[in-house]
Amino acid sequence: MAWRMAWRKLSLIAAAAQNAAAQTDYSQFVNPFIGSEGPIAGYAYGGGDIFVGGAVPYGVVKLGIDTWEDRVNIATLNGGYTPKGTVTGVSMMHESGTGGCAKYGVISQMPLASVASPVNILNDTTYWRKRVGTDEATVGYFHTDLEDGIGISLAGARHAGIMKYDFPAGGEQHVLVDVSHFLPDPPGGFCQQYYVDGSISISDDGKNYTGHGTYAGGFNLGAPYTLYFCGEFDTAPVEAKAFTGVNTTRIVTGSPPEPTFGGKSAEAGSEGFRVGALFSFRATPSSKASVLSSKVGISFISKEKACMFKDTEIPSWDQQETIKAAQDEWNKDIFSTIQVDTGPEANRTLLTLLYSSLYFMHLMPSDRSGENPLWESDEPSWDDFYCIWDTFRNTFSLSHLIQPHAYESQIRGLIDIWRHQGYMPDGRSGNDNGLTQGGSNADNVLADAYVKGLRGDIDWQDGYAAMAKDAEVSTNGSNKEGRGALDDWLTYGYLTTNSERSISRTVEYSANDFALSQVAKGEKPEDVEKYLKRSAGWQLLWNPDVPSVNTTPVFKGFLTPKSANGTFESVGYNPATCDVCSWPSITYEGTPFEYSFVIPHDVETLIGLMGGSDSFESRLDYIFLPNTSQTNLGANGVGITSIMNIGNEPDFATPYLYNYINKQWKSVNQSRALGNQYFRNAPFGVPGNSDSGALNSWLIWQMLGMYPVVTQPVYLLGSPWFSDINMTVNGNTLRITANGLGTDSYFVQSVKINGESWDKNWFEHDSPGQRLMVDGGTIEFELGSEPVEWEKGDVPPSPGRVGLNGTGGYRV
Ligand SMILES: *[C@@H]1O[C@H](CO)[C@@H](O)[C@H](O)[C@H]1NC(C)=O
Ligand SMILES: *[C@@H]1O[C@H](CO)[C@@H](O)[C@H](O)[C@H]1NC(C)=O
Ligand SMILES: *[C@@H]1O[C@H](CO)[C@@H](O)[C@H](O)[C@H]1NC(C)=O
Ligand SMILES: *[C@@H]1O[C@H](CO)[C@@H](O)[C@H](O)[C@H]1NC(C)=O
Ligand SMILES: *[C@@H]1O[C@H](CO)[C@@H](O)[C@H](O)[C@H]1NC(C)=O
Ligand SMILES: *[C@@H]1O[C@H](CO)[C@@H](O)[C@H](O)[C@H]1NC(C)=O
Ligand SMILES: *[C@@H]1O[C@H](CO)[C@@H](O)[C@H](O)[C@H]1NC(C)=O
Ligand SMILES: *[C@@H]1O[C@H](CO)[C@@H](O)[C@H](O)[C@H]1NC(C)=O
Ligand SMILES: *[C@@H]1O[C@H](CO)[C@@H](O)[C@H](O)[C@H]1NC(C)=O
Ligand SMILES: *[C@@H]1O[C@H](CO)[C@@H](O)[C@H](O)[C@H]1NC(C)=O
C-alpha cells in the first residue's frame, strides 16, 4: 500500500499544523490498511474486514468504495474495501471489522468514463472497474485509481462526505447515482440486503439532488430503514436525468433490464422500481482532463437535514480542509488520550500499532444522536453495535477510561433502546436489533460501568430493569435479542442439548447473571442471591470424568453437553472439537476446551474443578502449544494452530489466567508472544475479523500492560510495551512507566503504585486510598529479562464463587 508515501506528504502538512495548534499529529502513525487482507495475499478473505476510507470518530458516514472480490466468501465484502476487488460504487455508510452478510454500502455515486453499451446502468457488473496502481489512505482520506483512468479521492465528515473525481483526457464524464445500490453480496445467502423503496429529484440546473432510499436485511436480518440524501456537484452537468428500472437488485440474476429515463425526478412507486439519476458532465469524449467534486450529506430524519449536514460540515470545496478537520478531531479526541514518546528514537512500528489500533477501535459504534427516526427522546442515540458479543470484553471497558462521555452516552443509548423497543441489543445496525451469538451481553456492559462507580446521567433503575428483562423474559428461541434459550436456562439452570450452542450460551448466561447480581447489589438487593446462584449454572455442565482426546498429557474435567434429563452426553465427546463452531454447534467460535477456561467471575472454583493450581497451569501451558488445535476453523482460524485462538473473542482473557495462580510472568510471556505474532503493521495485520475494533482494543490493553476483568472493578497487571505512557482516565492522567524495558527485557521484577511498592498482580478501579482509574496516578514497572515470581499478595478475586446450592463452596 502507498501508505508510506501519503504519510510523508501529510507529515509536512501536519508539521505546519503542529506549530499552530501545539497538538502532536498522532494521525501520521496510523496505517488504515491494517486488517485489509487475510492470509491469502491480495484478498480480503479471512482478513480484518475493515473499512478503509474517510471517517471521523464514531462517524455516521464512513465514506469508501464498494467492491466485488472474486473467490468471494460471505465474510469478505463487509467493509466495502477489498485489496483488489472491482469498484461498484462509492458509498456513504459502512461497518468495520464485521463478518456475516454485508450491511450498508448505501447512498452511492459511481464515476463513469462511458455509458455506451455494454454498460447498462442497472447492472453493476457491466460498469464495475478494476483498480490500477496502489491505493493511498490516511486518517480521513482515501484515494484509488480505476483502470479507465478515473481517480477517486474521498474524505469524510460526521454526516457528509466530499468526493473528488479526476477524469482523464479522452473519455466522457458521468456520475451515476443509483439509489438502489448496496454492498454486493454473493447470491443465495439467507441474510442478504435488499432495496425496498427510493426516490430522487434533481434541481433545474442539475447541480443538486435529493431523495431517499429504504433498505432492509443484511447480517441482522434488519427491518427496513430509510436514509435521506442531499448531493451537490461543483460543476453544472450538461445533462442530468432520473431513471427507473425493474427491481433486479441482485448481481447476475434475471434477464437484462433497461433503464427508463424520466426527466428530473423518479420514484419507486407501487411497482417497487429501482431509481437513480445519471449526471453527464461531458457526454462526448473530450481531449481535456478535468476534476469534478461532489458533496453528499445523509440523514435518517429528512432531506433538509441531509442538506444542512452537507453545507455545515463541509463548507468548502477544498477536500484538504475536510481531511484536516477529521485528522484534528482524531488527534484531539482519540489519539491524544494515550500519549507515548513520538520522538526520533521511538520505534515507528510500535507507534503505528498503537495509534492504528486506537483508530480502528473508534470507527464503531456510530453516534446517531439527533438522528433517531423511530422515537422522540432526550437520550443519546447510537447504532452499529456489531456485536456487543465482541466488544463487551475489552472495548467498552477501555472506552470507560479514555472516552468517558461517549461511553456514558452509549450506555444511555442502549437503555433507551430497551425503553422503546423492549430489549437492549447485542447486535444492532440500521436501527434494528439482531443478532445474538450467545448471551445478552449488554448486561455485562452495564454491570462493568456500575461496579466501577459510573452513575452520571444514566437512569440505573431503568438500566437494571433492562437487564432483568434479558434475564427473565423469553424471546421464544429467537436470536434477535435477549436470550434465545432462556426457557432452558430458567428450567434447568443450564442449556440442554435441545438448544443450539448449549455450552457456550450456558457459559455466557452464567456471566450475564453474575452481571445482574452485581448491579442488583445497589439497585435491588433482594435479587442478589438469585442471580449469584444462577451464575453458577456453568458448574452443572462440568463433567469431572470427561477426558481430553488426542492430547498428551490427558486432562480430565470439561464442560460437557447434557440432555434435559440430566444425563451427560459424553460418549464420543471430544472437547477440542465443535464441528463448525457456529450457530448450530455446541459452542460458538471456540471449542469446549476453550470455553472451559471462560469463567471470569469464579476462576477459583474453576481451578478447583480442574484439579488445583498445578493441573490448571499445565492445562493452560498446553493450549498455547503449536499444533494442538483439533478443529479446522477455515479462514476464521487464520493459521492459528494452538487451541488458544486469539482471533476469536472467547479466548481474549485466557492468556492472563496465570495471574490467578500468582505466575504473572507466564501471563506476560504468553500474551506478549501472541501480540508479537499476530498483530503486525501489515495488511494481514490482525488475526481475522477485527470485530468492530475488539481485536484492536485487545492489543491496546496489551501495550498498556494491563487487562480488564469485565463486570468486576479489577485490572490484571501485564507488562507495558512503552517505557512511558500518559493515559487519560476519567479526564485525569494515569502515568505508566517501565524502567528496564528492552527487546528481551519485559518480565516484571517489581511494581509500584502511586509510589508504594505493590505485591499483587492486579489492582482495583477505585479502592479506598487508591483511586487509580478515577483520579489517575502512577504505575511504575521495573522490568528485566529473567522471569520472577514477584507477586506475593492475594490472587485476583473470584467474587462469583458460589456453590450450586447458593451457600458458597463448590463440589469437587
Ligand atoms: C444547490 O445547493 C446549494 C448549497 O446548498 C445552494 O446554495 C443552491 O442554491 C442550490 N441550488 C439549487 C438550484 O437549488
Ligand atoms: C449483468 O451483466 C453481466 C455481464 O457483465 C451478465 O452476465 C448478467 O447476466 C447481467 N445481469 C442482468 C440481471 O442483466
Ligand atoms: C425487490 O426485490 C427484492 C427481492 O429480490 C424484494 O425483497 C423487495 O421487496 C423488492 N423491492 C421492491 C421495492 O419491490
Ligand atoms: C507524561 O507526563 C509527564 C508529566 O507531565 C511528563 O513529564 C512526561 O514527559 C510525559 N510522558 C510522555 C510520554 O508524554
Ligand atoms: C520495533 O518494534 C518491533 C515490534 O516489536 C520490533 O520487531 C523491532 O525490532 C523494533 N525495532 C527496533 C529498531 O527496535
Ligand atoms: C413468546 O411467547 C409468549 C407466549 O406465546 C408471548 O406471550 C411472548 O410475547 C413471546 N415473546 C416474544 C419476544 O416474542
Ligand atoms: C436422557 O436423554 C437422552 C437423550 O435425550 C437419552 O439418550 C437417554 O437415554 C436419557 N436417559 C435417561 C436416564 O432417561
Ligand atoms: C506443526 O505441524 C506442521 C505440519 O504438520 C509442521 O510442519 C510443524 O513443524 C509442526 N510444528 C511443531 C512446533 O510441531
Ligand atoms: C513463553 O512463550 C512462548 C510462546 O508461547 C513459549 O514458546 C515458551 O515456551 C514460553 N516460555 C516459558 C518458559 O513458558
Ligand atoms: C451446599 O453445598 C456445600 C458445598 O458442597 C455443602 O457443604 C452444604 O452442605 C450444602 N448446603 C445445602 C443446604 O445443601
Side-chain angles (χ1 to χ4, degrees), residues 563 565 567 569:
S563 58
N565 62 22
T567 313
E569 299 191 1

Side-chain angles (χ1 to χ4, degrees), residues 665 669-670 673:
W665 73 270
N669 184 53
Q670 302 286 23

